[in-house]
């Protein structure tokens, strides 16, 4: 098995992930917690029942099964709306925050829902000893209020969400201590649980050796360091290196900074960036500044020619060197609220951006050195809900819902030609516990030159996942994802591909490219009650279809689709920074490089295939053709 998989499993054992959390009790707060009744722990599955009987025997095999397999599932809270404060908290709006108490829990042996839980073995205690707990000042900077402030509506819920979305925390709770609150002041309790921040991986073969080290909470101050070094390669470059240093929320300004350096034969990058997003629904100002230098080899998308049979002609790679300076600023205007118990989450937003791109080597019909001036106007309405078993294995996850509308206009002052730009984007997200989640988005952008629209692109996206279904200790969901990308009056006829995340997972064929595509992905996840070496187990089934054409003004659905079907296992340990390992077996009936022969492929991944669109207004953007 791959060395990275073995390394992660060994890390899980050494850092006390062997034992999963016992069944937890609901948090002791005044906020109502919707929890299903305790489920019967007697599993009708004969396999699980026999394993459980073996684990109870005082034999070598019984002790091994007891150490590796955990039969107690976590108790699951029902979906709770995170957009509005519970009525028991609404009574504390605009009271003075008298004190803030922080309870910081280490990664292993502790529970966010049961603060009396303690590590119960030496491995868990060893893992916590190797881990540096998140500093209290870092947590204080991440919440939206201070001692002496008036408690604004949504301040508790938004602070909890901001804590939870950091990489170095597994979960967080923020609530009022009603037992010490008075008519004019409150005491707030903040409980957080860390992720074990240090991780590494490596691999070795006859051709090269790779070592990667990461720390997503360096010295407990929230800084993230990532490095990846590969050596022993053949010419033209015997080594490769990539590294980054990321600082989130500098001095409570919610400004983040990132330094990136990457050096390989095919790609070189040096960049420094600062950004501040519209991180809450009440944020007034956002912006960013960055400078970057790139050297890369890219496919020559401008070669003319049509598909011959089912295989595209070979596309040559050409060098492309360029540098970018990027600046933007945005201002949000909060709409009036007619309910004093809560703020209006709607915002009207305006933003401006200046982008300077200079190419020093390479080019093409859609590539030119230019200064781009953009302005955007938008409307954003965001709410957040809480649920579980979406992308994680029981941790609290925030689900964005609402609406987003943005109109972008600009002017490109280029070295070859000057032209106008116009783009529009609309998106919505809807969530209900009995319905599931539905996201839909549409985006269009195009340049206008000499009274002709050119280099246009139309993209659509739809994502739906079902409610969480339960059968005793088993749970499952279904995901359906659609993406469409249509080029319009573009010379880069072969810019789109359907490899991996862009279309069919596990699919890799560099010569399958086109001008328009339609992708449909389906996935089902069965969350089992088993835990192996600290990694909880899910069974995955998927079916991917992708239609692709390189002919201008032709629907991709008129082509024969490429397909991929597969089954696999997903191992996930929420306490580790690289917490997901997927081992999948894919079946691909149509692979051009095999002249139409059927093929199976075994592959692994540490990335989840789906993700949420946050419905957050960003800087003015050029619609991406991918």
């Amino acid at each position: 098995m791959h060395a990275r998989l073995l390394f992660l499993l060994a890390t899980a054992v050494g850092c006390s992930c062997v034992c999963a959390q016992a069944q937890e009790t609901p948090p002791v707060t005044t906020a109502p917690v919707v929890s299903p009744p305790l489920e019967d722990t007697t599993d009708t599955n004969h396999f699980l029942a026999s394993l459980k009987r073996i684990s109870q025997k005082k034999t070598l095999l019984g002790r091994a099964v007891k150490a590796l397999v955990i039969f107690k599932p976590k108790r699951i809270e029902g979906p709770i709306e995170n957009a509005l404060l519970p009525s028991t908290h609404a009574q504390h709006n605009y009271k003075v925050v008298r004190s803030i108490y922080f309870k910081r829990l280490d990664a292993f042996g502790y529970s966010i829902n049961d603060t009396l839980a303690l590590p119960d073995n030496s491995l868990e205690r060893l893992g916590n000893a190797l881990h540096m707990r998140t500093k209290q000042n870092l947590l204080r900077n991440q919440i939206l209020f201070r001692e002496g402030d008036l408690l604004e509506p949504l301040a508790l819920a938004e602070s909890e969400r901001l804590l939870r979305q950091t990489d170095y925390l597994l979960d967080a709770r923020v609530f009022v201590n009603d037992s010490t609150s008075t008519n004019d002041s409150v005491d707030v309790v903040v409980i957080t649980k860390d992720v074990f921040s240090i991780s590494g991986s490596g691999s070795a073969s006859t051709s090269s050796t790779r070592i990667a080290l990461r720390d997503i909470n360096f010295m407990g101050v929230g800084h993230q360091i990532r490095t990846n070094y590969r050596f022993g390669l053949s010419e033209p470059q015997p080594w490769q290196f990539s590294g980054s240093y990321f600082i989130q929320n500098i001095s409570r300004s919610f400004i983040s900074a990132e330094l990136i350096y990457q050096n390989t034969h095919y790609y070189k990058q040096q960049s420094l960036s600062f950004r501040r997003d519209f991180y809450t629904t009440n944020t007034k100002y956002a912006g960013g500044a960055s400078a970057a230098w790139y050297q890369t080899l890219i496919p020559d998308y401008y070669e003319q020619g049509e598909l011959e049979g089912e295989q595209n002609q070979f596309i040559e790679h050409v060098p492309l060197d360029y540098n970018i300076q990027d600046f933007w600023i945005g201002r949000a205007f909060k709409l009036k609220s007619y309910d004093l118990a809560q703020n209006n989450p709607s915002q009207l937003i305006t933003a401006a951006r200046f982008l300077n791109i200079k190419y020093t080597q390479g080019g093409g019909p859609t590539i030119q050195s230019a200064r781009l001036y953009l302005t955007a106007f938008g409307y954003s309405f965001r709410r957040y809900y809480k649920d579980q078993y979406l992308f994680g294995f029981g941790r609290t996850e925030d689900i964005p819902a609402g609406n987003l509308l943005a109109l972008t206009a600009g002017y490109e002052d280029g070295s070859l030609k000057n032209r106008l730009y116009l783009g529009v984007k609309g998106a919505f997200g809807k969530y209900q516990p009995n319905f599931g989640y539905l996201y839909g988005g549409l985006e269009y952008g195009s340049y206008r030159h000499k009274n002709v629209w050119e280099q246009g692109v139309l993209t659509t996206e739809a994502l739906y996942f079902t409610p969480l279904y339960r059968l005793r200790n088993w749970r499952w969901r279904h995901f359906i994802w659609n993406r469409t990308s249509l080029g319009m009056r573009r010379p880069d006829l072969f810019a789109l591909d359907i490899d991996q995340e862009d279309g069919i997972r596990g699919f890799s064929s560099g010569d399958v490219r086109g001008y328009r595509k339609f992708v449909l992905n389906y996935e089902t996840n069965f969350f089992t009650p088993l835990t192996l070496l600290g990694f909880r187990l899910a069974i995955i089934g998927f079916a991917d279809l992708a239609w692709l054409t390189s002919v201008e003004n032709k629907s991709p659905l008129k082509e024969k689709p490429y397909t991929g079907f597969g089954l696999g296992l997903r191992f996930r340990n929420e306490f580790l920074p690289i917490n997901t390992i997927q081992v999948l077996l894919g079946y691909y009936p149509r692979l051009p490089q095999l002249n139409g022969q059927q093929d199976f492929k075994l592959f692994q991944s540490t990335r989840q295939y789906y993700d949420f669109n946050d419905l957050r207004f960003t800087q003015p953007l050029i619609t991406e053709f991918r």
Side-chain angles (χ1 to χ4, degrees):
M1 187 174 290
H2 199 280
R4 178 169 57 185
L5 175 59
L6 294 178
F7 185 90
L8 288 173
L9 292 177
T11 303
V13 176
C15 296
S16 72
C17 295
V18 174
C19 295
Q21 298 294 326
Q23 188 164 327
E24 300 175 350
T25 57
V28 182
T29 69
T30 58
V33 177
V34 181
S35 299
L38 290 175
E39 300 183 21
D40 184 6
T41 58
T42 302
D43 199 333
T44 58
N45 187 290
H46 297 294
F47 175 70
L48 293 179
S50 61
L51 278 182
K52 193 170 184 178
R53 286 194 299 270
I54 294 174
S55 69
Q56 294 171 350
K57 296 181 180 180
K58 295 182 179 180
T59 62
L60 182 61
L61 177 60
R63 292 176 180 178
V65 172
K66 185 176 181 179
L68 295 177
V69 181
I70 308 301
F71 298 94
K72 293 182 179 180
K74 291 186 176 182
R75 182 170 180 167
I76 301 179
E77 296 179 3
I80 304 173
E81 185 176 349
N82 197 26
L84 304 176
L85 288 175
S87 58
T88 53
H89 282 171
Q91 62 180 322
H92 300 303
N93 288 345
Y94 303 109
K95 290 184 180 181
V96 176
V97 178
R98 183 170 53 198
S99 66
I100 305 174
Y101 170 71
F102 292 88
K103 186 171 183 63
R104 298 168 295 147
L105 304 177
D106 278 317
F108 305 117
Y110 296 95
S111 169
I112 193 72
N113 292 328
D114 181 7
T115 57
L116 298 180
L118 297 172
D120 58 4
N121 60 64
S122 58
L123 289 178
E124 290 182 339
R125 289 188 286 270
L126 175 60
N128 290 333
L130 297 175
H131 168 71
M132 182 164 289
R133 192 184 304 169
T134 301
K135 302 295 184 183
Q136 182 171 304
N137 285 341
L138 178 61
L139 302 176
R140 190 181 297 274
N141 287 344
Q142 198 70 14
I143 61 177
L144 301 176
F145 50 86
R146 286 277 204 263
E147 287 92 344
D149 291 349
L150 295 179
L151 187 62
E152 297 283 343
L154 293 184
L156 298 178
E158 286 286 82
S159 295
E160 182 178 304
R161 181 181 63 82
L162 290 174
L163 288 169
R164 194 160 41 239
Q165 74 178 12
T166 60
D167 293 332
Y168 48 83
L169 294 179
L170 175 69
D171 210 341
R173 297 288 185 271
V174 181
F175 57 91
V176 169
N177 187 349
D178 281 328
S179 64
T180 62
S181 298
T182 65
N183 293 331
D184 59 1
S185 62
V186 295
D187 297 321
V188 177
V189 179
V190 179
I191 304 176
T192 59
K193 180 176 173 62
D194 281 4
V195 169
F196 189 79
S197 63
I198 302 173
S199 67
S201 62
S203 62
S205 66
T206 56
S207 60
S208 66
T209 302
R210 185 186 64 85
I211 300 175
L213 297 174
R214 310 167 192 85
D215 191 342
I216 62 172
N217 193 5
F218 180 69
M219 301 297 291
V221 298
H223 295 192
Q224 299 184 19
I225 303 174
R226 291 179 168 87
T227 62
N228 193 321
Y229 180 62
R230 190 173 182 181
F231 59 94
L233 297 167
S234 59
E235 297 296 336
Q237 184 168 318
W239 59 272
Q240 298 179 358
F241 176 82
S242 62
S244 65
Y245 192 92
F246 177 74
I247 305 174
Q248 184 182 38
N249 192 7
I250 302 173
S251 300
R252 204 173 179 250
S253 63
F254 287 92
I255 297 176
S256 299
E258 185 172 25
L259 177 66
I260 298 176
Y261 175 79
Q262 186 168 347
N263 190 332
T264 70
H265 171 58
Y266 292 98
Y267 183 81
K268 294 178 174 62
Q269 175 187 354
Q270 303 173 65
S271 65
L272 176 64
S273 62
F274 298 87
R275 72 173 187 269
R276 185 178 194 262
D277 299 324
F278 290 104
Y279 54 92
T280 71
T281 56
N282 296 328
T283 304
K284 291 184 179 180
Y285 293 98
S290 66
W293 295 261
Y294 301 91
Q295 292 179 316
T296 183
L297 293 175
I298 65 170
D300 189 356
Y301 300 137
Y302 311 105
E303 291 187 1
Q304 300 299 316
E306 296 184 358
L307 289 173
E308 297 180 2
E310 297 182 354
Q311 184 173 359
N312 191 9
Q313 62 182 13
F314 175 76
I315 298 179
E316 182 183 359
H317 284 69
V318 295
L320 185 66
D321 299 351
Y322 59 102
N323 59 77
I324 298 176
Q325 297 82 46
D326 190 1
F327 307 91
W328 78 278
I329 187 171
R331 173 69 161 91
F333 300 90
K334 185 169 57 176
L335 299 182
K336 185 176 180 180
S337 175
Y338 296 95
D339 186 351
L340 295 179
Q342 57 179 299
N343 291 328
N344 189 338
S346 302
Q347 291 179 310
L348 293 177
I349 303 172
T350 181
R353 182 184 182 188
F354 170 72
L355 186 67
N356 181 43
I357 306 176
K358 184 177 181 180
Y359 292 92
T360 57
Q361 183 179 5
T366 63
I367 297 177
Q368 65 168 342
S369 298
R371 292 180 295 272
L372 186 62
Y373 306 88
L374 296 173
T375 183
F377 302 91
Y379 168 81
S380 174
F381 173 84
R382 282 185 291 158
R383 294 176 182 264
Y384 290 90
Y385 297 83
K386 294 193 288 189
D387 204 345
Q388 296 174 315
Y389 290 91
L390 300 167
F391 306 114
F393 276 49
R395 66 181 297 181
T396 304
E397 300 177 67
D398 298 291
I399 304 174
N403 303 288
L404 175 66
L405 180 64
L407 177 65
T408 302
Y411 178 76
E412 184 181 50
D413 182 10
S415 58
L416 301 177
K417 56 185 175 181
N418 302 331
R419 51 186 181 173
L420 300 174
Y421 178 81
L422 181 64
V424 62
K425 179 180 180 179
F428 74 91
K430 180 180 180 181
Y431 172 78
Q432 291 181 358
N434 297 326
F435 168 78
Y437 178 78
L438 176 64
Y439 169 85
L442 183 147
E443 188 172 358
Y444 170 80
S446 182
Y447 291 92
R448 187 166 180 83
H449 177 61
K450 294 183 178 180
N451 297 322
V452 176
W453 293 102
E454 64 180 17
Q455 201 175 334
V457 57
L458 174 66
T459 65
T460 65
E461 181 179 2
L463 172 65
Y464 172 73
F465 60 75
T466 66
L468 182 66
Y469 302 109
R470 297 178 176 88
L471 178 62
R472 295 188 180 275
N473 296 335
W474 293 72
R475 297 167 179 84
W476 71 92
R477 285 187 193 272
H478 304 281
F479 296 80
I480 300 176
W481 191 21
N482 167 246
R483 291 162 291 167
T484 303
S485 184
L486 304 177
M488 301 178 180
R489 298 184 63 88
R490 304 182 63 97
D492 45 351
L493 296 178
F494 305 105
L496 300 179
D497 67 76
I498 55 173
D499 290 357
Q500 307 295 343
E501 289 80 11
D502 291 326
I504 300 176
R505 71 200 85 186
F507 187 87
S508 180
S509 178
D511 58 352
V512 177
R513 291 185 173 273
Y515 188 71
R516 296 181 173 185
K517 71 177 181 179
F518 182 92
V519 177
L520 187 62
N521 307 108
Y522 166 78
E523 180 177 299
T524 181
N525 291 339
F526 288 89
F527 301 96
T528 76
L530 295 177
T531 299
L532 178 64
L533 296 175
F535 286 79
R536 304 191 69 183
L537 173 64
I539 301 173
I540 304 170
F542 70 87
D544 299 332
L545 296 90
W547 289 262
L548 185 69
T549 180
S550 64
V551 180
E552 191 172 358
N553 299 324
K554 181 179 181 181
S555 170
L557 296 177
K558 294 182 179 180
E559 301 286 349
K560 183 180 179 181
Y562 294 90
T563 57
F565 308 94
L567 293 171
L569 301 177
R570 176 180 297 158
F571 302 91
R572 186 175 179 92
N573 190 318
E574 302 282 10
F575 307 122
L576 300 177
I578 299 181
N579 51 28
T580 302
I581 301 174
Q582 298 182 114
V583 181
L584 304 171
L585 176 63
Y587 167 64
Y588 307 95
R590 184 183 175 203
L591 287 179
Q593 65 270 29
L594 298 179
N595 298 319
Q597 297 180 14
Q598 299 175 352
D599 186 50
F600 289 89
K601 180 179 180 182
L602 182 67
F603 62 99
Q604 66 166 326
S605 171
T606 59
R607 296 180 57 185
Q608 63 190 28
Y609 197 61
Y610 305 91
D611 203 355
F612 287 121
N613 287 279
D614 197 27
L615 298 169
R616 179 183 303 175
F617 188 94
T618 61
Q619 72 268 36
L621 295 172
I622 301 295
T623 303
E624 192 173 4
F625 187 47
R626 58 167 299 177

